[in-house]
């Protein structure tokens, strides 16, 4: 004779069978507990039927379209390409080639018997100041690269 | 004699076809049509207007991105509300907000909207929202989908990803829990709040 919760909601939704409606009417008159339960469900159902539709903010669509356009843009990662290490290597190579060529006496040039005087250049190379200058320049370049590639990324992290 | 111009509401599917053909205005049309409902479903689940707006926006973006894969044989709203539901659930799981805070902010919102005429309606809204905040997101979704736009049980089942029979059982349980929560909040005042 009992009516289940599901059946009560069928009654409230208006989809109950005739037989169920008759049982419900009978129980409403006879069973006080059922009466209370039904009233409780009916009150909640009535409140829910008036559940209002919430309104979005006025600029909702504009914000959404802006976001959508941003999401569609391809992500451009601008990473400046540094060729500093290449310059450093090139300078080092040039220096090594120059030093080797000058210290070996330029045999290929001598075989052609062209009177070339490298003594001034050799003297310059053998000057202590120039060597020191070169060493300092290379050291500075090395420190600069080390700072850019290692220290800056580390401290930024 | 003037010709009779019959203006029919453009269907969701034809808006989608426009979008897929390259008409960017279609995004705006689709958003304007479904924003309130998406926002309301999100609001009922996450509990605050700010978060609900974020969830609704996120759901729209996801839907726009997935539009090329949308099966035009199915109903757009069912597909889209499923996205809203899942996005709101994910958000809720990520941000477990103190229910008391939500209640307090919503009470304040409801109180500020009160006028002598709308007092009862604002009270009803406030208590319903307070009771909903104590239910699980699943229960809230079932109730919101069923009452707000009167979706059929089959549609609700598709949105939530369960069978229609399970949806009916879940909806019944959700309504029962809500009734219990309302009784806990209001006691014997429940009936007087409604009638």
């Amino acid at each position: 004779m009992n009516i289940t919760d599901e059946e009560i909601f069928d009654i409230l939704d208006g989809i109950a069978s005739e037989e169920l409606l008759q049982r419900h009417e009978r129980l409403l008159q006879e069973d006080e507990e059922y009466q209370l339960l039904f009233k409780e469900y009916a009150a909640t159902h009535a409140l829910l039927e008036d559940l209002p539709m919430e309104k979005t903010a006025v600029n909702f669509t504009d914000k959404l379209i802006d976001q959508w356009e941003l999401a569609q843009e391809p992500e451009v990662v601008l990473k400046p390409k540094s060729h500093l290490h290449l310059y450093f290597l090139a300078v080092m190579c040039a220096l090594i080639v120059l030093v080797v060529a000058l210290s070996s006496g330029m045999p290929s040039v001598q075989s052609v018997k062209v009177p070339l005087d490298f003594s001034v250049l050799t003297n310059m190379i053998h000057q202590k100041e120039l060597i020191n200058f070169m060493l300092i320049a290379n050291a500075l370049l090395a420190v600069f690269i080390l700072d850019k590639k290692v220290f800056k990324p580390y401290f930024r992290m | 004699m003037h010709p009779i111009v019959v203006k029919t509401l453009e269907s969701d599917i034809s808006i989608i076809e426009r979008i897929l053909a390259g008409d960017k205005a279609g995004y705006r049309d689709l958003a304007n049509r479904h924003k309130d409902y998406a926002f309301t479903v999100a609001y009922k689940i996450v509990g605050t207007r700010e978060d609900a707006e974020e969830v609704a926006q996120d759901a729209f973006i996801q839907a726009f991105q997935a539009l090329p894969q949308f099966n035009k044989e199915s109903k757009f709203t069912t597909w889209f509300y499923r996205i809203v539901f899942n996005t709101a659930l994910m958000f809720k799981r990520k941000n477990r907000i103190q229910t008391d805070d939500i209640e307090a902010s919503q009470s304040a919102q409801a109180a500020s909207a009160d006028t002598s005429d709308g007092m009862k309606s604002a009270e009803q809204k406030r208590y319903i929202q307070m009771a909903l905040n104590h239910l699980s997101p699943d229960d809230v979704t079932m109730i919101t989908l069923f009452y707000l736009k009167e979706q059929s049980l089959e549609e609700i089942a598709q949105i939530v990803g369960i069978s229609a029979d399970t949806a009916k059982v879940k909806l019944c349980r959700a309504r029962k829990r809500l009734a219990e929560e309302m009784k806990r909040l209001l006691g014997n005042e429940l009936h007087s709040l409604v009638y």
Side-chain angles (χ1 to χ4, degrees), chain A residues 98-114:
Chain A
L98 191 65
V99 168
V100 168
L102 290 173
S103 59
S104 61
M106 304 284 287
S108 58
V109 178
Q110 274 177 356
S111 62
V112 188
K113 290 183 180 171
V114 179

Side-chain angles (χ1 to χ4, degrees), chain A residues 2 39 42 77-78 82 110 121 123-125 127 129 148 154:
Chain A
N2 273 346
K39 268 188 176 177
V77 182
L78 287 172
S82 170
Q110 274 177 356
L121 203 59
N123 286 339
M124 264 178 71
I125 294 282
Q127 275 176 8
E129 289 79 15
K148 198 178 160 72
Y154 175 77

Side-chain angles (χ1 to χ4, degrees), chain A residues 23-148:
Chain A
R23 261 196 296 151
H24 162 68
E25 289 297 334
R26 219 173 304 143
L27 269 175
L28 268 185
Q29 286 165 0
E30 293 166 4
D31 191 338
E32 204 172 308
E33 205 176 313
Y34 176 76
Q35 204 180 55
L36 279 172
L37 183 71
F38 183 77
K39 268 188 176 177
E40 196 183 301
Y41 285 178
T44 308
H45 179 76
L47 281 176
L48 287 170
E49 279 198 314
D50 294 331
L51 204 64
M53 186 81 92
E54 300 290 338
K55 290 276 170 201
T56 58
V58 186
N59 61 349
F60 179 90
T61 310
D62 291 334
K63 268 168 73 180
L64 172 67
I65 299 299
D66 286 350
Q67 262 196 50
W68 172 234
E69 279 169 2
L70 261 178
Q72 277 183 305
E73 278 173 16
E75 206 173 309
V76 182
V77 182
L78 287 172
K79 198 181 173 188
K81 274 192 175 177
S82 170
H83 298 292
L84 208 61
H85 60 290
L86 290 178
Y87 295 140
F88 176 71
L89 283 174
V91 169
M92 291 298 285
C93 286
L95 275 173
I96 290 166
V97 168
L98 191 65
V99 168
V100 168
L102 290 173
S103 59
S104 61
M106 304 284 287
S108 58
V109 178
Q110 274 177 356
S111 62
V112 188
K113 290 183 180 171
V114 179
L116 287 173
D117 186 12
F118 284 105
S119 59
V120 181
L121 203 59
T122 322
N123 286 339
M124 264 178 71
I125 294 282
H126 286 148
Q127 275 176 8
K128 210 180 169 186
E129 289 79 15
L130 185 72
I131 292 169
N132 284 342
F133 171 76
M134 292 288 192
L135 281 173
I136 290 168
N138 277 314
L140 282 173
L141 200 59
V143 167
F144 179 73
I145 290 169
L146 193 71
D147 175 59
K148 198 178 160 72

